Amino acid sequence: MGHIKIENLKKCFGEKVAVDINEFTINKGDILGLVGNNGAGKTTLFRMILDLLKANEGTVTYSFQTPSEEGQEELLINPAESEEWKSHVGAYIDDGFLIDFLTPEEYFDFVGRVSGLTSTDIKERLAEYEKFMAGEVLDQKKLIRDFSAGNKQKIGIVSALLTQPEIVILDEPFNFLDPSSQNVLKKLILSYAETHGATVIISSHNLQHTVEVSTRIALLEHGIIVKDLPNENQSAESELETYFNIE
């Protein structure tokens, strides 16, 4: 399992402060729901965690358990200084992550082979997501760019999980999905976290879905984490509804 530690992390665009987090740790095994209004800084934070955007100040540190002669050893990685974290992390932010001139099969094959999976491995792992793909992704004989937004979303999410990473980061994963697919995805996130002991981080505007899957919720406002809420038995729901003025 892996965890992420954020220290004195700051990102500005001109005079606008997009993210300003003094200290925050995402613990091993958390399913963290990151919520906030538009412009709160959720995607900016994800992009810094994934080293897609350089911080003005501060650091992100990944921690992973790796085998050693003595059993397990903690591996600490700053993604700005090493790419070793990439084999431990799966992420989908938007369709810019996809190679849209490939078919889904070609794209999954590419993602898997980069991580050392065989064709048999890839086929077996894709079978785990058949219900989520709902017969609309594989064997369609068309390129990713010709799929609907919802099916592109499915392709991206499946690709993030395909290598069975210890940390999964999904930005607005419920976007573009129909209600049935949203429900399947909620069960998929919960089962993946439990089966693999993974740390999962999602952002979403949909409070209901976020509350239903998260073990912990961080509320982001103007780039600052203003609340860090435990969510055992969906205990954060009433506080979030009050914050967002939901009747």
Side-chain angles (χ1 to χ4, degrees):
M1 293 193 295
H3 77 255
I4 301 172
K5 187 171 185 179
I6 296 167
E7 296 178 285
N8 303 313
L9 193 66
K10 191 169 186 178
K11 180 64 182 178
C12 302
F13 297 103
E15 296 184 356
K16 177 180 171 54
V17 178
V19 169
D20 188 1
I21 299 173
N22 291 331
E23 186 174 357
F24 189 71
T25 299
I26 302 164
N27 300 310
K28 296 176 176 127
D30 276 350
I31 303 178
L32 178 73
L34 189 64
V35 300
N37 289 315
N38 287 336
K42 301 186 297 296
T43 300
T44 299
L45 176 58
F46 278 173
R47 289 187 175 278
M48 285 194 288
I49 291 173
L50 294 167
D51 196 37
L52 298 171
L53 192 62
K54 298 297 182 185
N56 295 101
E57 300 174 15
T59 59
V60 173
T61 305
Y62 288 105
S63 170
F64 304 104
Q65 295 295 319
T66 59
S68 70
E69 293 181 358
E70 299 177 355
Q72 291 287 323
E73 180 180 346
E74 186 177 35
L75 177 65
L76 299 175
I77 304 171
N78 180 337
E81 298 175 355
S82 168
E83 295 191 353
E84 196 172 351
W85 60 277
K86 291 184 177 179
S87 62
H88 301 271
V89 179
Y92 184 67
I93 303 295
D94 56 39
D95 62 11
F97 274 47
L98 304 175
I99 305 175
D100 68 358
F101 57 82
L102 300 180
T103 65
E105 288 87 349
E106 290 170 336
Y107 182 60
F108 293 139
D109 187 67
F110 169 77
V111 171
R113 288 185 180 276
V114 165
S115 297
L117 299 180
T118 65
S119 294
T120 301
D121 294 333
I122 295 166
K123 185 175 181 180
E124 288 176 353
R125 293 190 183 185
L126 287 175
E128 298 175 23
Y129 305 111
E130 282 184 356
K131 186 174 182 181
F132 181 53
M133 291 188 285
E136 298 176 342
V137 171
L138 299 178
D139 301 319
Q140 301 302 300
K141 295 183 171 56
K142 61 182 181 181
L143 305 180
I144 291 174
R145 65 182 175 221
D146 296 322
F147 280 81
S148 67
N151 284 324
K152 287 179 182 177
Q153 189 84 340
K154 291 180 180 182
I155 294 165
I157 292 168
V158 171
S159 69
L161 301 175
L162 187 64
T163 59
Q164 296 180 350
E166 296 163 63
I167 293 176
V168 178
I169 298 173
L170 302 174
D171 193 15
E172 297 289 351
F174 301 104
N175 275 5
F176 312 119
L177 300 181
D178 59 46
S180 295
S181 297
Q182 290 176 345
N183 287 329
V184 173
L185 178 58
K186 283 186 285 187
K187 294 175 183 176
L188 181 58
I189 290 170
L190 290 168
S191 65
Y192 183 87
E194 182 178 0
T195 301
H196 299 284
T199 303
V200 180
I201 313 164
I202 66 169
S203 76
S204 180
H205 284 109
N206 190 306
L207 290 182
Q208 180 183 353
H209 293 334
T210 306
V211 167
E212 286 177 0
V213 301
S214 302
T215 60
R216 178 183 175 197
I217 292 176
L219 178 55
L220 202 63
E221 183 179 288
H222 303 302
I224 299 169
I225 294 177
V226 295
K227 290 183 183 291
D228 180 8
L229 305 171
N231 190 43
E232 186 176 357
N233 298 320
Q234 303 183 24
S235 59
E237 185 173 16
S238 60
E239 191 164 348
L240 290 172
E241 288 179 348
T242 300
Y243 178 84
F244 289 106
N245 296 315
I246 297 173
E247 295 290 334

